[in-house]
Amino acid sequence: LKPSRNMSTPASNQNPTDTNQESSNPTINMNMNVGSSLSEVEETLARIRSHKGVEGVIIMTKDGATIQSTLSPEQTNAHCALLSQLSVKAALIVEQLDPDDELSFLRVRSQQREVMIAPDKSGYILVVIQKIA
């Protein structure tokens, strides 16, 4: 796993009525490539977790197998099972609408939390769960 590609949500996709959104979102700079050292992954996870409101970070396969998580085992299993399915379905929708396009980032926002999902071409998914201030 190696941090490199900027997968942050562009400002044009942000809700203009939410004035506090920009300051509370961590920028996700992560491209998961095989061969990176474990310390690089740990540093990246620590940097993401240090952002205000971040409740958890998960790295998983597109099939929902956990690689690393900062959540409890129960929370991790629940999130991996559901979010891997959501990510796969969202990717299929994007592909069906435009065969030349692919899903690069998915953001789900509720009244209390925001879930940011960054799938990677190599089959990994980075998930950041953030409490809304």
Side-chain angles (χ1 to χ4, degrees):
L1 306 177
K2 182 176 182 176
S4 67
R5 189 169 95 199
N6 184 348
M7 299 182 86
S8 64
T9 304
S12 62
N13 288 344
Q14 294 177 355
N15 184 350
T17 60
D18 187 353
T19 57
N20 193 25
Q21 188 172 1
E22 179 69 27
S23 63
S24 65
N25 285 337
T27 300
I28 302 173
N29 295 314
M30 188 142 185
N31 184 15
M32 293 171 254
N33 294 320
V34 177
S36 296
S37 71
L38 187 58
S39 64
E40 288 179 81
V41 174
E42 291 294 335
E43 287 176 21
T44 301
L45 289 176
R47 183 175 45 81
I48 292 170
R49 286 180 61 196
S50 71
H51 287 277
K52 181 180 176 184
V54 171
E55 293 181 334
V57 180
I58 303 170
I59 300 173
M60 64 180 162
T61 66
K62 68 177 181 177
D63 299 321
T66 306
I67 296 171
Q68 193 159 18
S69 178
T70 62
L71 299 174
S72 72
E74 296 81 21
Q75 290 176 317
T76 298
N77 290 338
H79 282 82
C80 286
L82 296 170
L83 296 177
S84 63
Q85 292 177 33
L86 178 63
S87 179
V88 168
K89 288 180 182 181
L92 287 173
I93 290 169
V94 170
E95 185 180 331
Q96 286 179 355
L97 293 174
D98 183 354
D100 297 326
D101 203 0
E102 65 184 67
L103 180 68
S104 61
F105 193 82
L106 179 63
R107 188 163 152 176
V108 179
R109 187 177 173 117
S110 69
Q111 291 180 359
Q112 297 179 7
R113 287 181 182 74
E114 182 173 43
V115 179
M116 295 167 277
I117 305 166
D120 187 75
K121 291 179 184 181
S122 60
Y124 297 102
I125 300 172
L126 171 68
V127 176
V128 177
I129 301 158
Q130 175 176 293
K131 188 170 186 165
I132 296 174

